[in-house]
Amino acid sequence: MNEPELVIFDLAGTTVKDCGQVTAAFTAALGQHGMEITSEQLISVRGSSKREAVRRLIPAGPDHTRLAESVYASFRENLAHRYSAGGVEPVEGAERIFRWLRERGVRVALNTGFDRDITGLLLAALNWKEAIVDAVVCGDEVRQGRPAPYLIFRAMEATGTTSVRQVANLGDTVLDLKAGHNACVGWNVGVLSGAHDRRLMERAPHTHLLQSITELQQLWF
């Protein structure tokens, strides 16, 4: 097992610079509905499906489902505005790493807790056409988001990859790493360029911790 057949990258914080837009959008959306959340609560849901995160962040009650959908709609609107107003930048070297892997015959996929609409906004802002990678899998396209392994399995299906031991999973959150662990991937790589610091990431299941995805070249070939 010298090299992977498929490398799966998370988006925000891993391949896209995290400038606080996601946490700010969560805070604003919940505030619009009269709710406050702590930084610890926000940290705990980073990496998850954003719709599932909203459901976890709002209190239980008879109107939970309707309220969750309303807050999620506010979150999407807030996030789209922040990305449009502030711009979106890739993590330095991300496109080079994609090309480097694909030139060597390694398939590349992106997966994310964002839904397809927000993901499309991000990819358009980055000018990342579908051809830059082999597959893009979004949080609304699986039955359960991270830490469930289904985003990884869907990326495998989309790229014709059959062995989990030949898959590398990269992300910047504990939930990214838990999903990789649950999928039993061959390389479960945490990067320290995004939401969670080394202290948190060291406690999560992983095979490697890197400062950023550009250090991948130290692992293979």
Side-chain angles (χ1 to χ4, degrees):
M1 190 178 69
N2 296 322
E3 61 192 57
E5 294 179 3
L6 169 65
V7 180
I8 304 172
F9 297 90
D10 173 53
L11 272 177
T14 303
T15 55
V16 179
K17 287 185 179 179
D18 181 359
C19 299
Q21 298 101 322
V22 176
T23 54
F26 270 128
T27 301
L30 289 160
Q32 289 170 2
H33 293 80
M35 290 174 278
E36 295 183 1
I37 51 173
T38 66
S39 59
E40 289 78 13
Q41 287 175 297
L42 283 172
I43 287 171
S44 73
V45 298
R46 292 303 302 270
S48 65
S49 157
K50 302 308 178 277
R51 190 185 296 273
E52 291 175 14
V54 167
R55 290 172 182 159
R56 288 175 56 187
L57 289 170
I58 64 176
D63 206 26
H64 185 272
T65 300
R66 185 200 62 79
L67 180 58
E69 287 303 309
S70 182
V71 172
Y72 181 68
S74 297
F75 164 76
R76 290 182 60 197
E77 181 179 345
N78 271 279
L79 187 61
H81 172 73
R82 292 172 193 278
Y83 279 142
S84 298
V88 181
E89 294 183 58
V91 167
E92 185 176 354
E95 295 176 30
R96 175 173 57 82
I97 289 295
F98 296 161
R99 288 194 300 270
W100 174 73
L101 289 167
R102 298 181 82 199
E103 285 169 359
R104 286 158 176 75
V106 178
R107 295 180 285 276
V108 175
L110 299 173
N111 71 1
T112 178
F114 294 136
D115 64 25
R116 178 59 65 172
D117 287 343
I118 294 176
T119 302
L121 183 153
L122 270 176
L123 297 180
L126 292 162
N127 199 30
W128 284 2
K129 308 300 183 185
E130 290 287 339
I132 198 170
V133 296
D134 299 289
V136 179
V137 182
C138 303
D140 57 342
E141 296 170 344
V142 294
R143 290 185 62 87
Q144 187 177 351
R146 305 174 184 124
Y150 305 134
L151 285 169
I152 293 170
F153 293 159
R154 181 64 63 89
M156 291 177 62
E157 182 180 22
T159 57
T161 306
T162 57
S163 171
V164 292
R165 302 304 300 166
Q166 293 299 320
V167 174
N169 172 65
L170 284 93
D172 65 298
T173 71
V174 168
L175 289 181
D176 288 315
L177 294 178
K178 287 183 176 180
H181 177 74
N182 289 336
C184 298
V185 297
W187 295 266
N188 195 28
V189 183
V191 294
L192 304 177
S193 55
H196 289 166
D197 60 20
R198 179 178 291 275
R199 178 182 60 85
L200 288 173
M201 297 293 271
E202 284 179 338
R203 297 176 181 176
H206 63 275
T207 59
H208 304 82
L209 288 181
L210 307 177
Q211 288 299 320
S212 81
I213 60 173
T214 57
E215 294 183 0
L216 278 179
Q217 289 170 301
Q218 300 174 15
L219 299 185
W220 305 308
F221 311 107

